[in-house]
Structures are given as C-alpha cells and as structure tokens.
Amino acid sequence: MQQLDCPIIGRRPISEFVYGGEVRRPPPGDAPLADVADHAFNRTGQPTVLREWWFHRPTGRWFVLERNTLSNVVERVVPPQEVAYAIPTL
Amino acid sequence: MPWRLLKIGLRGAHKEPRFFPEPADLRDSYDVVIIGGGGHGLACAYYLATRHGIRNVAVLEQGYIGGGNTGRNTTIVRSNYLTPDGVRFYDASVRMFQRLSQELDINLFYSTRGHYTLAHSDEAMRTMRWRAEVNRHLDVDSQVVDRDAVGRGIPGLDLDCGGSQPVMGALYHAPGAVVRHDAVAWGYARAATNNGVEVHQKTRVTGMQVENGRVCGVATDRGNIRCGAVVSMVAGSTPRITEMAGLSTPIEIFPLQACVTEPVKPFLDTIVVSGSLHVYVSQSSRGELVMGASVDPAVLHSTRSSFEFVEGLADRIVDLFPFTARLRINRQWAGMSDMTPDFAPIMGTTPVSGFYLDAGWGTWGFKATPISGSTMADTVANNRNHELIEPFRFDRFADFQLVGEKGAASVGH
Ligand SMILES: Cc1cc2nc3c(=O)[nH]c(=O)nc-3n(C[C@H](O)[C@H](O)[C@H](O)COP(=O)(O)OP(=O)(O)OC[C@H]3O[C@@H](n4cnc5c(N)ncnc54)[C@H](O)[C@@H]3O)c2cc1C
C-alpha cells in the first residue's frame, strides 16, 4: 500500500488519510458572485502536480502535499508555515 | 444460407462485407468533429446522420472504439434517480435502450433484471421513499419494499449482513437492466458508418483552434482538421480537452474500479446495490458476479487497478452474500470517472461558440448513451440546448442551480 511521509507523524499507510481536495485560494469577502462560484465549484481537472489537502484520521491533523495526479507520486510535503502564510488576511 | 456458407468456404471470405468498412482517409475538413469514440460519441454521430441529415462528420478516437469507460462499466441501466430532471432524462434513455437492438440490428443482450437499492438505516429508507415518490410521479416504476420482500427477491442474501448493518427494506425498480456494453459501441459505430459518418480510430486530438470565441478546428496526431463544430465526448479525458478550449469546469477525475468472480451457476437474476456497504453486484449471462463500489479516494488520472479495492470490496460483499467467500476473483479493472459536484452531467453549448460538451458522466453515464447521443445531436444541429438537457447546462454552477443526484448515484451506477 502507498505510504505518505508527513512531518510529526512519519510514514503512514495512505488508508489512514482522508482526501481533502485541491488547495484553492478563497476569494475576498466582497468578490463578485462569479468568483465565488468559480472558487466553490471549479477545479484543476487536468493531470498536473496538484497542491492538495490530506487529513490524517488517527491524529486529526491536516497536511498539504504536492502530488503528481498522473503518476500518483508525492513530490513535496508543504511545510505548514508556507500554507498558513498563503492564506489572505484582511 | 448453407449455399452461401459453401461459397464462402470455397472462395474465401475476403469479398464478404466487414462489420466495419475500411475507414476512409482522414480529410482536412468536416462539418462536425466528435472527439471520443465511446458510446456517447458514436451515438451522437449516428443521430446527427439519421435524424438531422448531418453526415459530414468525423468521430476521432485516440485508441479503439469502446476502449474507454464504455467498455469498462458494469452495464447497469436504470432511471430511479432523485431529481425530476434526472428521472425524466434517464427514463427517456431506458425507453430508447429497450428498442435499440432492433434499431441498430445487433443483439445487445438487453436484459431487464429488476434493481434493488438496499436500505440499512432510517435515513436510507427516507431517501428510498423520496426516490419512489419522485419516480412514480414521473411514471417510472419504483416502489419501496420491506425486509421480507427483499429476502424473497434476492436469493443468498444475508438480511442481517453479518449482524452489523441489517437490511430494513429497499427501493425496487423493475425496469433496471444490464446490456452488453461493447455491443452498444459496435452497433452505433456500424450504424453511423452505414449512414456516411467516418470513424477514425488511433487518432488523438492534441489541440483546438479557437478564433474570436469560435471554434474553427482541431489539431490531431495525424494533422489539422478544420470544422464548424466540435463535440467533446471524452469522459475521463474531459479536463484535458476543456483546457484546450480555455474553459474551467468543476470536473475532477477519480478512478472507478470493478471486478468479476469466476463463473457460477445462475442464481441471481436481479441487480443489488447497497449504499451503506458501498457495493453493488449483478450476475452476468456467463455466470460471473460483476461487482463494483464507489470511486477511489483521491483524484488520479490512471486506469491501474489496486489490491486495496478488491480487499475492501471482498470484505463487504461477504457480509451481503456469505457464500461468496468461496469464490475467486477472476479479473479486475479501472476506468477514469469524470466526477461533478452534484453527480449530474454537464451537457450542451459552452461559452466557446461551436464547442459542445458532453461530460461529467462520472460513474453513471453508460445508461445515458442513447439519450445523450440523441439530445446532443439535436443540440448541435440547432445550436441550442435540447429541453431535456437544459438542467445540465454548462453554466448551472455559475448560477448556483445544481442538480443534486448524489443520493441516487454515488454507489449505484
Ligand atoms: C468501473 C466502472 C463502472 C461503471 N458502471 C456503470 C454502470 O453500471 N452504469 C452506468 O450507467 N455507467 C457506469 N459507468 C460510467 C460509464 O462507463 C461512463 O459514464 C460512460 O461509459 C461514458 O461514455 P462516453 O462515451 O462518454 O466515454 P468513453 O467510453 O470513456 O469514451 C471516451 C473516448 O474518448 C477517447 N479520447 C479521450 N481523449 C481523446 C483525445 N484527446 N482524442 C481522441 N479521443 C480521445 C477515449 O479513448 C475514449 O474511448 C461505469 C464506469 C466505470 C469506470
């Protein structure tokens, strides 16, 4: 079985994780409705290296991985700081 | 007939008509280019030619016809959906399927089996009642049956499912059927070719020419083609094609797997789905149990099958049918499902003029082959969405007008 190697928890079988989908930047609060719909529904559908959320069920921790969705190879585990700093603040 | 056979025996079969005639050379211009030689693409070509007189059509298929999800599905045809839009649409498809062998002059082995969706909880029973009411309102034969009726209708079933999730009742849908999937593709391909359509296999679309918001051609690995309209019917490859047209969609690709056991004596004449156990099963005319589940847990553009899938499925099918513990799995395979957030397709015109989309077929699109082909042909011929597919239009997401079919499509396909 495929294993994911994440900070703190180490190598764990992928069956312990729940897929959280693509990381997408939320639009600002006053964004036009079209941008809100785009954020809510549209996704990067084509094969690529995708930044995505993975939830580790036993420990209740979220991780962000960069995974090639054609080869299923995890290319990078994104440090939490990098994710946190990317979230827009007011 | 015996005389003809004798003649063929003596003279050889080379002069006999082939099932598919030799394809013509690929030309550099067509009225309509259909990307994807699955059931949908071939059906659309057939209806364009026969119902709308549009015969200058090329179907471009990167591999071989029916080699995509059309030849990988578990062939369940039903119309017991949840939304009136969905029920109306799939019911029209079931009715077309029932006459299709005659129309295409090929035995599709269409076999009406009846279809049980088991409920193991009060919540599931509530959804079954909801579906039954919507179905009956639209003249579709569905009813809620109790636990005893399930026991009488499904031989070999453990009504207690090993004690963990006892069956409380089910939605029973008498028209539920299975049909030979490859034959559907072959039948449409032959009928389309006989009506002047060209089907080009091993021809992959690699790009699209769009000028001033209008599509004017496609690039292929065998050269460029000019055309007035492009119809994308590529299921699991949809995001690659919409990207060529510069369009964003909600479609994400998840693998969907299935498997069959070794053949056993016919005992199961009906189709059984359990949403709570995430499995479904039917018995093929060869005697194999055809089994499947929900999609794999994460996005992946791949048709590799996995051990985790069979392991998980075996665990649950043994709860439903204890005797299957003695059976061996013979084959397993996967397809790429083009999933949408509301479990309904995306069909019709798009913001790019002349570019039509038939996608978002996820785990449920085989049953829609005839109705998609015919409504898409109508949509292309008239350059406006056919009324049956209007609810599935491309911009429903921008309008927040989703068609929530998850309750009827996430496990039972
Ligand atoms: C395991 C499994 C079980 C399923 N079970 C059911 C079921 O029981 N009932 C049901 O209704 N549905 C089921 N489905 C869903 C169903 O199979 C599909 O929705 C349906 O077959 C889609 O048909 P299609 O013609 O649109 O696509 P496909 O048959 O996938 O055809 C698309 C074709 O496009 C070609 N193509 C892709 N890109 C290009 C390109 N760039 N250039 C040229 N050609 C290209 C592909 O090679 C392919 O042949 C199941 C699917 C799977 C995987």
Side-chain angles (χ1 to χ4, degrees):
Chain A
M1 186 182 285
Q2 197 184 354
Q3 310 233 322
L4 293 181
D5 192 0
C6 290
I8 312 168
I9 60 170
R11 284 186 87 75
R12 313 293 314 178
I14 200 158
S15 59
E16 291 186 0
F17 290 82
V18 179
Y19 185 57
E22 179 183 351
V23 176
R24 287 173 70 81
R25 246 184 121 86
D30 56 354
L33 219 50
D35 294 0
V36 177
D38 176 67
H39 171 74
F41 302 118
N42 286 344
R43 296 289 179 270
T44 308
Q46 64 276 19
T48 180
V49 175
L50 201 62
R51 212 170 228 239
E52 48 193 26
W53 293 105
W54 286 83
F55 177 66
H56 187 241
R57 227 176 329 203
T59 56
R61 282 179 186 279
W62 283 97
F63 297 94
V64 171
L65 308 182
E66 284 175 5
R67 186 178 60 106
N68 184 321
T69 57
L70 195 59
S71 63
N72 203 15
V73 171
V74 176
E75 309 210 330
R76 201 164 78 96
V77 180
V78 184
Q81 298 82 343
E82 203 179 312
V83 184
Y85 292 152
I87 295 173
T89 47
L90 290 179
Chain B
M1 211 28 160
W3 278 115
R4 231 183 105 215
L5 198 62
L6 186 67
K7 246 167 73 183
I8 293 173
L10 294 172
R11 288 216 219 130
H14 59 279
K15 286 222 175 92
E16 288 298 301
R18 311 263 322 211
F19 192 87
F20 298 120
E22 283 291 307
D25 288 337
L26 189 65
R27 287 182 279 127
D28 58 8
S29 149
Y30 294 92
D31 291 343
V32 180
V33 162
I34 297 174
I35 316 175
H40 288 225
L42 297 162
C44 180
Y46 167 72
Y47 293 113
L48 275 173
T50 54
R51 292 193 180 171
H52 305 281
I54 302 176
R55 293 162 202 268
N56 185 13
V57 176
V59 178
L60 308 181
E61 165 55 50
Q62 66 183 5
Y64 58 94
I65 58 169
N69 289 353
T70 296
R72 295 165 191 269
N73 67 74
T74 44
T75 79
I76 296 167
V77 172
R78 62 185 177 93
S79 57
N80 57 355
Y81 277 72
L82 186 61
T83 68
D85 298 327
V87 175
R88 235 179 252 121
F89 177 78
Y90 292 110
D91 182 45
S93 207
V94 170
R95 289 170 199 272
M96 288 176 81
F97 253 125
Q98 289 165 345
R99 301 185 304 262
L100 202 58
S101 290
Q102 280 80 2
E103 180 168 353
L104 300 179
D105 192 21
I106 180 173
N107 188 352
L108 301 175
F109 294 92
Y110 188 87
S111 166
T112 301
R113 297 287 187 88
H115 181 286
Y116 285 90
T117 313
L118 304 180
H120 306 254
S121 65
D122 286 333
E123 293 81 349
M125 279 305 279
R126 191 193 60 122
T127 310
M128 299 315 151
R129 271 185 223 108
W130 180 1
R131 282 168 69 180
E133 291 306 322
V134 175
N135 287 190
R136 280 214 298 271
H137 185 63
L138 295 163
D139 211 14
V140 166
D141 185 0
S142 292
Q143 63 190 77
V144 173
V145 295
D146 65 14
R147 180 179 152 98
D148 291 342
V150 173
R152 285 192 302 274
I154 310 177
L157 179 80
D158 174 5
L159 279 172
D160 291 327
C161 292
S164 58
Q165 303 208 53
V167 173
M168 297 177 68
L171 178 69
Y172 180 66
H173 176 56
V178 287
V179 47
R180 176 87 197 272
H181 48 14
D182 311 298
V184 173
W186 299 334
Y188 272 122
R190 180 180 63 176
T193 332
N194 287 345
N195 282 284
V197 167
E198 292 178 17
V199 178
H200 293 282
Q201 305 188 66
K202 295 193 196 145
T203 309
R204 178 193 212 114
V205 171
T206 54
M208 205 178 302
Q209 282 105 37
V210 180
E211 276 169 25
N212 305 322
R214 227 207 118 71
V215 76
C216 48
V218 293
T220 79
D221 55 4
R222 294 173 61 197
N224 292 347
I225 298 173
R226 277 175 291 114
C227 59
V230 173
V231 194
S232 173
M233 307 183 112
V234 297
S237 300
T238 299
R240 306 183 206 203
I241 301 291
T242 48
E243 192 187 23
M244 294 174 194
L247 297 173
S248 297
T249 76
I251 292 174
E252 291 183 292
I253 307 302
F254 288 79
L256 178 66
Q257 306 195 42
C259 61
V260 297
T261 64
E262 59 188 329
V264 290
K265 217 157 109 176
F267 76 98
L268 186 65
D269 59 357
T270 187
I271 304 161
V272 182
V273 181
S274 165
S276 309
L277 294 178
H278 294 275
V279 282
Y280 64 95
V281 56
S282 70
Q283 190 172 22
S284 77
S285 37
R286 279 196 293 253
E288 307 147 324
L289 293 188
V290 182
M291 306 183 292
S294 329
V295 292
D296 282 6
V299 163
L300 191 62
H301 300 259
S302 161
T303 50
R304 278 188 42 196
S305 38
S306 69
F307 178 69
E308 287 84 63
F309 162 75
V310 211
E311 190 183 34
L313 183 124
D315 187 17
R316 298 178 315 252
I317 200 80
V318 167
D319 280 348
L320 265 189
F321 291 102
F323 82 93
T324 54
R326 289 183 290 141
L327 296 183
R328 273 167 290 230
I329 304 285
N330 254 6
R331 288 179 285 125
Q332 66 172 127
W333 65 91
M336 294 192 296
S337 295
D338 40 335
M339 302 297 288
T340 57
D342 55 0
F343 287 68
I346 303 177
M347 300 179 74
T349 56
T350 69
V352 176
S353 155
F355 177 67
Y356 302 88
L357 191 61
D358 169 77
W361 288 111
T363 67
W364 53 84
F366 174 67
K367 70 180 67 63
T369 305
I371 196 67
S372 304
S374 61
T375 52
M376 285 301 293
D378 183 274
T379 299
V380 173
N382 298 304
N383 190 28
R384 51 116 196 83
N385 287 341
H386 185 283
E387 59 173 359
L388 269 183
I389 68 170
E390 184 56 19
F392 310 131
R393 67 190 196 281
F394 183 90
D395 46 18
R396 74 171 181 274
F397 300 97
D399 301 342
F400 296 89
Q401 299 277 333
L402 274 59
V403 186
E405 282 293 5
K406 187 168 183 184
S410 63
V411 178
H413 313 314

